[in-house]
Amino acid sequence: MTYDLIIVGGGIGGSALAATMARAGRSVLLLEKSTVYEDKVRGEWISPWGVTETKRLGLYDVLVAAGGHHLTSHVTYDETRDPAAAEAAAMPLGMFAPDVPGPLCLRHPVHCQTLFDTAAAAGAETRRGISITSVTLGASPGVTYLMEGVEHDARAPLIVGAEGRQSGVRRAAGLALHQDKPHHWFAGLLVDGVAGWDDSRQAIGTEDDFGFLAFPQGKERMRVYGGWSLADTRRFAGNDGPARFLDAFRMKSAPHNEAIASGTPASPLFAYYNNSSAAQQPYAPGAVLVGDAAGWNDPILGLGLSITYRDVRLVSDILKETPASSAPDFRPYAEERTERMRRLRIAAEMQATLDMEFGEAARARRHRYYEATAADPMLGLHGVATLAGPEAVPAEIFEPAHVARVVGA
């Protein structure tokens, strides 16, 4: 079978691209390994600039109809701050993107299934439960895959790698992946029965040897994340790990966290390293990469979905503008993505240094930062880059001199 493009990976990036290109009249084959989208630690928070990208792709209404939940305010708790003062200084989240009330949250398995179904409804051919046996690129791109024990060959001028961090398309393209040194452990958990928390408010905070992020999903359900030292490898291992993880949320500096700690775990607890990475470049002859396949940002900023939707929008724009008989020129995509990811990598380093380092020196650093930011809001612009997009702030925010001012070096 021959198609205009074959997309390997039916998660958020692959399904969003399949839906977009099928709507544009292209013949698309979408291949997904899983038969059921499982609840794992994946991004469920779309930053305001990422929400704008979903609107540009014509997918926003689909996500809201599937249960997308907007957050409209943000509180930063800390052991060096009075909690009442932190809540009084809550930041409105509707000011970072036009006509976007704030970040959009949607449970990851629902998100994936919604987009996969949207791609199928738009005319993409969808295959699930498949196993890729080979990817050929260059002058005659194609994919060989097994489905229900039967081998199939498919050809297209372009193969899209959208299958995440262990991308087989990236390996077939010979594109090296460069990873930063991990900074801390990170884990996520879905929690039910979080009663008494404002469903429109997200929060982060650090106390003693633990940092947290909390994102309500509506109806007393919340996705929470926690970070701790790399040295404490097995801190939340074992069958009682989720319960001990929730206990870590009990903080004097964040009294409303008691609602989280009293909730019920509703998903597995997975821990992983926090770091950033980048592929050598996001394309090769006969292939292009989107989402984590092309490299990812440190999850401390929670920008995986926003990055993916920007990737999909840029790649789909190029494909739609390329005549059928011509090879797409992905250089503009590569240039934009390289600079975008460079800026976000630096922003993540600042955020991780502030929120996910522990002890007296780290506590003093955060205290200095909060005092200095009150006098000079420029010191907090890496947070604006997270919410409004890395291109929305001056370039000098990502220079070493500014970083040194932020982290007190």
Side-chain angles (χ1 to χ4, degrees):
M1 297 293 292
T2 301
Y3 302 86
D4 291 325
L5 69 157
I6 299 170
I7 301 173
V8 180
I12 289 172
S15 292
L17 183 60
T20 302
M21 296 311 300
R23 287 174 173 178
R26 305 299 173 87
S27 61
V28 180
L29 175 63
L30 177 61
L31 301 173
E32 166 57 24
K33 180 179 180 180
S34 71
T35 55
V36 176
Y37 294 111
E38 297 180 353
D39 193 325
K40 298 181 179 180
V41 182
R42 296 287 188 272
E44 296 188 332
W45 180 89
I46 310 176
S47 185
W49 65 272
V51 176
T52 297
E53 297 294 352
T54 71
K55 291 189 171 189
R56 290 173 174 171
L57 290 164
L59 296 171
Y60 171 78
D61 290 340
V62 172
L63 300 181
V64 172
H69 176 75
H70 276 293
L71 305 176
T72 58
S73 67
H74 170 93
V75 176
T76 297
Y77 294 103
D78 191 79
E79 59 195 338
T80 68
R81 307 180 76 186
D82 175 69
E87 291 167 4
M91 178 174 61
L93 295 173
M95 60 182 177
F96 295 101
D99 301 317
V100 175
L104 185 71
C105 293
L106 181 61
R107 188 172 171 230
H108 194 268
V110 175
H111 198 157
C112 290
Q113 189 65 57
T114 297
L115 292 179
F116 191 86
D117 292 343
T118 300
E125 290 191 28
T126 57
R127 305 282 186 271
R128 298 198 68 166
I130 65 92
S131 176
I132 303 291
T133 57
S134 69
V135 176
T136 303
L137 301 177
S140 183
V143 172
T144 302
Y145 64 95
L146 288 174
M147 183 174 180
E148 297 179 347
V150 178
E151 189 172 79
H152 301 265
D153 289 310
R155 298 285 166 182
L158 181 70
I159 312 298
V160 180
E163 71 275 56
R165 297 187 176 192
Q166 305 301 320
S167 171
V169 175
R170 185 183 66 234
R171 290 194 300 272
L175 298 173
L177 182 70
H178 305 284
Q179 296 197 52
D180 291 345
K181 182 180 178 180
H183 182 270
H184 59 275
W185 283 106
F186 210 53
L189 186 69
L190 187 67
V191 187
D192 280 340
V194 182
W197 188 288
D198 182 349
D199 271 350
S200 66
R201 173 164 289 181
Q202 65 180 44
I204 65 172
T206 308
E207 185 173 300
D208 294 331
D209 59 355
F210 189 74
F212 81 92
L213 299 86
F215 303 106
Q217 305 245 336
K219 300 179 180 179
E220 297 189 349
R221 170 168 279 188
M222 182 177 287
R223 180 68 72 174
V224 296
Y225 300 90
W228 65 96
S229 170
L230 284 177
D232 201 355
T233 303
R234 298 187 57 79
R235 178 171 180 177
F236 299 111
N239 293 334
D240 63 341
R244 289 186 285 110
F245 183 72
L246 288 183
D247 280 342
F249 283 76
R250 301 182 195 275
M251 295 181 177
K252 295 178 181 179
S253 61
H256 292 299
N257 277 18
E258 184 63 32
I260 299 173
S262 300
T264 302
S267 75
L269 176 69
F270 290 104
Y272 53 95
Y273 289 136
N274 255 45
N275 67 343
S276 296
S277 74
Q280 181 180 343
Q281 65 180 22
Y283 70 96
V288 67
L289 308 174
V290 298
D292 282 0
W296 57 89
N297 184 234
D298 185 330
I300 186 67
L301 298 185
L303 291 178
L305 296 182
S306 302
I307 289 167
T308 296
Y309 275 116
R310 173 73 63 84
D311 290 352
V312 169
R313 198 259 301 171
L314 292 174
V315 168
S316 62
D317 283 351
I318 290 170
L319 292 177
K320 286 186 282 189
E321 294 169 1
T322 302
S325 59
S326 302
D329 182 0
F330 290 117
R331 286 177 298 177
Y333 166 55
E335 292 169 3
E336 191 280 341
R337 195 182 204 277
T338 297
E339 178 61 13
R340 178 183 7 134
M341 299 302 283
R342 182 191 74 84
R343 292 186 176 203
L344 293 179
R345 172 178 174 269
I346 295 168
E349 288 174 351
M350 287 188 272
Q351 202 68 57
T353 301
L354 291 170
D355 293 341
M356 295 296 169
E357 293 188 6
F358 313 102
E360 289 300 325
R363 186 179 297 113
R365 179 192 301 124
R366 291 195 304 276
H367 182 66
R368 288 195 304 269
Y369 170 76
Y370 294 132
E371 286 191 332
T373 304
D376 182 7
M378 284 282 289
L379 292 177
L381 284 187
H382 62 282
V384 176
T386 301
L387 294 161
E391 70 282 350
V393 299
E396 56 263 29
I397 297 304
F398 309 99
E399 296 299 323
H402 179 82
V403 174
R405 290 179 62 214
V406 170
V407 301

